[in-house]
Amino acid sequence: MAATGSAVGLGNIWKFPYIAGENGGGAFVLVYLVCILMIGIPIMIAEVLLGRRAQRNPINTMRHLAAQADASSYWQLIGWMGVLAGLFIMMFYSVVAGWALDYVVASAQGTFSGGDKNSVGAYFTELTQSTNLQIAWHSTFTILTVAVVAAGVTKGLGNAVRFMMPVLFVLLLVLLGYSYQQGNFMAGFNFLFSFDFSKLSGQSVLTAMGHAFFTLSLGMGAIMAYGSYMPKDASIAKTVCTVAFLDTLIALVAGMAIFPLVFANGIEPSAGPGLMFVSLPIAFGNMSGGDIFGTLFFVLVGVAAWSSAISLIEPGVAWLTETFNINRLAATGSMGLVAWLGGLGCIYSSDFFNFLDKLTANFMLPIGGLLIAIFTAWVMKRSHLNKELGDISGLSFNLWYASTRVFAPLGVLTIFVYEVYSLFA
Ligand code: PFF
């Protein structure tokens, strides 16, 4: 449940539709799905496995496992980079989550009733131009996150997630139904699922792979930290496949709810980060009971973002408390403060926002994931891996092993090389 809470977040509902829109749709979606299957799932199994074997925070996990394998202590850099990546992501994540919180209030006040592309678009533009309002919401979200992490009440949140994720899913299905009736469903469907490879640049392929890492919370130790809390008798492979399946399903349903509305209302699919914040309120504003549904929807988006944000700062907090023996509140407070300051940077400068987004999703997470795969499949003893994944058949194990040892790393490297090549071609 916790891993699903981490994986399902703004990445699925906000980011996936808008980057699919910016990158031409179908071919991008296909590359993203292939990346989830061939790179994401094997590396996610590896990352959970490392955490569960060492039962420590990500930095100490890497240090411990490297020592156990007589390997260089530099492997702990994976943990360091992860802590940093988590902070960087939190900086822009809390700004977008803040927009969702603002939309809770706006929906409840009926701001979007009878709205169209122009009125809702103007509302979004006004919000993103108001530094004060954004600072207020981004601060609120940061405080909420810090409060939960400081209290260590992951259990309470686990329960909340267990209840709210299904509700979020049902609401997405309601939206999907609305889109089917009122939107341009075929245009949305064709956009997302018909492949036109001529639209695919090196940059798009890199974005698709980066998003596979981002959406699965992969390559930065978050999933490793959760793996360390996982009981020894739980099945890693089954858990990972379930999380990846649910995560992908939610992204695709969100996409299919949004794009028919985009096409029916004359919004550009490549409109960027505002895509969800403009298209969905139009739907809510024009359906009966829309104010209530809309309010509820944005509350749930906020909760989904919340349960993801917790895992963004948890690795750093676990490391601070376990290493320096400082209390949890101080550790969480300092992480929160750094993230909050960076968030101000994202509010004042959209270039900084975009820079952090690209740096983390397209580089830090895939590089982290690549190193995790190499460490697991080349440095660790095969018998140890076998023990952690003992519940799967010999064939499945070999398939995972070959993917983690060869195919997934090769995939990541190929995409990096293709990106560099197309930059200069
Ligand atoms: N997976 C989250 C999302 O899709 O919104 C984002 C995220 C959370 C990335 C936690 C990384 C992480 F460690």
Side-chain angles (χ1 to χ4, degrees), residues 6-12 89 93 214-217 220 222 308 311-312:
S6 169
V8 175
L10 296 171
N12 307 62
I89 295 175
Y93 209 79
F214 184 87
T215 192
L216 294 175
S217 303
M220 55 148 282
S308 299
S311 67
L312 286 169

